[in-house]
Amino acid sequence: MGHYSAKQKEKIILKFRESKTKAKNFVKSYGISDQTLLNWCKKYDQSGIDGLGAPNSADKEELIILRNEVKELKKKNAELETRNEMWKRIEALISKKSS
């Protein structure tokens, strides 16, 4: 068999877990390798059914945009932390002179 949908993968995973059979024996009727099944299980445990679907191009594009946004926000955050530190030093100096 070829490509499985996320829902089909989920059903296979649940059947596998109920069967308490070794992966090598279980996968024979599904036309997949035991390693494929174990990878699906890992993804399912990490992200649920959403982890079983292939990312579409819109998801990939959004991921790229979000990664770029994160980079920019980290850069701005570093700049703001530097400014904040400078203002703290200035306030400390002013406070010393006032005393």
Side-chain angles (χ1 to χ4, degrees):
M1 279 198 130
H3 181 74
Y4 288 96
S5 70
K7 193 67 179 164
Q8 290 169 321
K9 290 176 186 178
E10 181 183 43
K11 286 181 182 179
I12 292 169
I13 291 166
L14 296 176
K15 283 183 185 179
F16 166 63
R17 290 185 171 165
E18 288 174 13
S19 75
K20 299 185 182 179
T21 307
K22 290 186 178 186
K24 285 185 180 187
N25 297 328
F26 182 83
V27 296
K28 290 177 183 175
S29 62
Y30 293 98
I32 58 173
S33 72
D34 57 326
Q35 191 57 52
T36 296
L37 176 61
L38 296 175
N39 286 339
W40 290 354
C41 289
K42 183 178 178 183
K43 289 178 183 179
Y44 185 73
D45 291 342
Q46 291 173 342
S47 305
I49 194 166
D50 292 337
L52 299 174
N56 61 35
S57 61
D59 290 341
K60 289 178 185 177
E61 186 176 323
E62 183 179 9
L63 182 59
I64 291 168
I65 291 168
L66 290 172
R67 284 181 177 163
N68 288 335
E69 248 181 71
V70 167
K71 284 180 188 176
E72 286 298 315
L73 289 171
K74 284 181 177 182
K75 184 179 175 182
K76 286 180 182 180
N77 189 50
E79 291 171 5
L80 289 172
E81 285 178 348
T82 301
R83 287 183 187 180
N84 190 34
E85 196 58 41
M86 289 171 60
W87 278 111
K88 285 181 183 178
R89 290 178 184 172
I90 291 169
E91 287 174 347
L93 289 172
I94 293 171
S95 177
K96 281 184 181 179
K97 285 191 174 184
S98 299
S99 317

